[in-house]
Amino acid sequence: MQKTYTVSELSRALRNILESSFRSIRVEGELSEVSISHAGHCYLSLKEENYLIRCAWFRNRRGAYSIHPKVGMQVIVEGQVSLYPPRGDLQIIIHDMQVSGEGALRLAFEKLKRKLDAEGLFDPDRKQPMPEIPKSVGLITSPTGAVLHDMMITIKKRFPALRIILYPVAVQGERAPGEIVHMLETAGRRNEVEVIVVARGGGSAEDLQAFNDEQVARAIYKCPIPVISAVGHQVDVSITDFVADFSAPTPTGAAEQLTVTSSRLRERNQNLSRRLSDLARRYLEQKQQALDYQTARLARPDQRLKLWQQHHQHLTQKLTARMQSEIERHRSRLNDSVSTLRIRSPVSKVDLLRQKTEHFQSMLQQAILKKLAETVRMVEQLQGSIKILGPDTTLNRGYAIVLNEQGKVVTSPANVETGEDLELKVAKGQIRATAK
């Protein structure tokens, strides 16, 4: 006779069979219905299309793990198949959980992004400025891909003079990160380009993984040449986009950023021409002001002649006064001697005094002649100086004195009106002129 099971007996039997048959199993699926109890236990479901398995991940198994389950996450769980007796539900008791597929890559991406950001590799202040119009560019990309062809067409069409140096690398696969790092170091060491473009076309997350590599990011950060990241399509985001000095939405967009059209060059040249003209005008104005200032400080010939004449007159008056003083002094002494002679009136003394008087007269005449000769020489020297500095000498050197209709000296064009008659006094005559 067939045995009849109670519900509890069947539940326990099925649990024993399942747990003994599936002690350790790995199952991949999408998380759904994720909930965490107050005690810290996590209850969730794995689904695939129309199939669903409930799971339990207890707190003592979760403590050492950093994965935070979220609805929609693709994961691989490792655990034991069991049965929950109160409801008779099939479930998996999770021992370990890992993100799978693109989810794992996304998790690694976010982790590396936070790490590099904390170290300051994304700091905008350390990014190098892009050259306004580069003359040479280095392309780190695949030599056989469509990216190189598209970028070359764009550059040659917009700015054929741009010099291009290719640093060929693999852009996906295990050897891609090492080759990209090597070419970044090579370009930086050679220093033969003004900007570097790290470029790749679109693809899956696995295809773009080389540009989410930590060593590639650090090589871009250390590169002494500005680096542009041009990886994937507009919606694709890579670590190189954050650490590079500039990020372009596509490789073709990077080529457009690096090149300029003829209209932009003409506009730049016009701006430079205007700036140069303004600088030249300001420079000439400054020099003209300096010239006017120095011209105002120069003494006029007639003023200098007047000063010399005043000095000569002063010396003449001083010499005449000195001569008169000497004559008066000697005359006074002579009068004193004559008075003494008259008072004493001895004949011998008269003769002696007469001799002395004649001697004094001779000395006086010699002194006077000597003073006159010195005065004549001084006057001749002064006359020579006056002649050298006089207007006639100045005119003989090719200068002219301009007189207006009133006979006054013209010192500035502002004092002359158009059509006014002028007289130009030169060394050997006068010239009549009309101001234009």
Side-chain angles (χ1 to χ4, degrees), residues 117-145:
D117 189 18
E119 295 182 17
L121 269 66
F122 303 161
D123 188 359
D125 294 336
R126 68 93 199 160
K127 294 183 183 294
Q128 306 179 72
M130 290 292 110
E132 183 179 359
I133 304 179
K135 298 179 182 178
S136 57
V137 59
L139 300 182
I140 298 181
T141 189
S142 171
T144 58

Side-chain angles (χ1 to χ4, degrees), residues 207-235:
D207 295 337
L208 302 179
Q209 188 58 25
F211 301 92
N212 294 324
D213 184 84
E214 181 175 355
Q215 299 305 317
V216 172
R218 296 190 183 278
I220 292 176
Y221 179 77
K222 295 178 182 179
C223 186
I225 302 172
V227 178
I228 297 177
S229 174
V231 179
H233 302 300
Q234 291 184 351
V235 295

Side-chain angles (χ1 to χ4, degrees), residues 74-288:
Q74 191 76 13
V75 298
I76 297 176
V77 299
E78 181 178 351
Q80 182 181 23
V81 178
S82 181
L83 191 76
Y84 184 57
R87 290 197 303 265
D89 291 340
L90 177 70
Q91 65 178 4
I92 298 175
I93 306 302
I94 298 175
H95 300 160
D96 189 15
M97 179 185 294
Q98 297 177 355
V99 180
S100 66
E102 293 190 2
L105 295 178
R106 174 55 58 183
L107 185 64
F109 174 89
E110 294 297 337
K111 183 177 180 181
L112 179 59
K113 179 182 175 184
R114 289 193 298 269
K115 176 183 177 181
L116 299 181
D117 189 18
E119 295 182 17
L121 269 66
F122 303 161
D123 188 359
D125 294 336
R126 68 93 199 160
K127 294 183 183 294
Q128 306 179 72
M130 290 292 110
E132 183 179 359
I133 304 179
K135 298 179 182 178
S136 57
V137 59
L139 300 182
I140 298 181
T141 189
S142 171
T144 58
V147 168
L148 178 61
H149 178 263
D150 294 341
M151 292 185 70
M152 292 292 292
I153 290 178
T154 301
I155 292 173
K156 294 301 180 183
K157 180 179 178 180
R158 291 171 57 88
F159 194 33
L162 182 62
R163 178 169 170 257
I164 302 172
I165 296 180
L166 175 65
Y167 299 93
V169 295
V171 293
Q172 68 183 67
E174 294 182 357
R175 62 190 181 93
E179 292 185 4
I180 295 173
V181 170
H182 174 68
M183 284 304 178
L184 282 167
E185 294 174 348
T186 300
R189 184 175 62 254
R190 292 179 180 176
N191 196 25
E192 57 190 350
V193 295
E194 297 179 46
V195 63
I196 297 172
V197 180
V198 179
R200 191 207 188 283
S204 65
E206 290 83 357
D207 295 337
L208 302 179
Q209 188 58 25
F211 301 92
N212 294 324
D213 184 84
E214 181 175 355
Q215 299 305 317
V216 172
R218 296 190 183 278
I220 292 176
Y221 179 77
K222 295 178 182 179
C223 186
I225 302 172
V227 178
I228 297 177
S229 174
V231 179
H233 302 300
Q234 291 184 351
V235 295
D236 296 322
V237 179
S238 62
I239 294 294
T240 58
D241 292 336
F242 295 102
V243 73
D245 300 293
F246 184 82
S247 175
T250 62
T252 302
E256 293 175 350
Q257 289 290 336
L258 289 169
T259 54
V260 293
T261 59
S262 58
S263 60
R264 285 183 60 189
L265 284 176
R266 284 195 300 270
E267 181 181 357
R268 183 172 180 268
N269 290 334
Q270 290 173 357
N271 293 334
L272 291 175
S273 298
R274 284 194 295 269
R275 290 179 58 189
L276 182 60
S277 299
D278 293 340
L279 290 175
R281 178 178 53 78
R282 287 197 294 269
Y283 177 79
L284 292 176
E285 290 175 352
Q286 293 174 357
K287 293 302 180 182
Q288 183 62 47

Side-chain angles (χ1 to χ4, degrees), residues 307-371:
L307 292 175
W308 276 107
Q309 288 175 342
Q310 292 175 353
H311 182 62
H312 175 263
Q313 184 177 3
H314 173 70
L315 292 178
T316 302
Q317 292 174 353
K318 187 176 179 180
L319 177 61
T320 301
R322 182 68 180 273
M323 291 176 61
Q324 290 178 352
S325 177
E326 288 292 324
I327 292 173
E328 290 296 333
R329 186 171 63 84
H330 286 289
R331 181 180 292 113
S332 177
R333 291 181 62 185
L334 178 59
N335 292 333
D336 291 342
S337 299
V338 171
S339 299
T340 302
L341 178 61
R342 287 178 180 177
I343 294 172
R344 295 180 180 181
S345 186
V347 176
S348 57
K349 289 186 178 182
V350 169
D351 293 337
L352 180 61
L353 291 173
R354 183 180 297 112
Q355 293 175 2
K356 288 183 178 181
T357 300
E358 292 175 353
H359 176 68
F360 288 146
Q361 287 178 347
S362 176
M363 290 179 62
L364 179 60
Q365 290 177 356
Q366 290 177 2
I368 292 172
L369 292 175
K370 184 178 180 180
K371 287 291 183 180

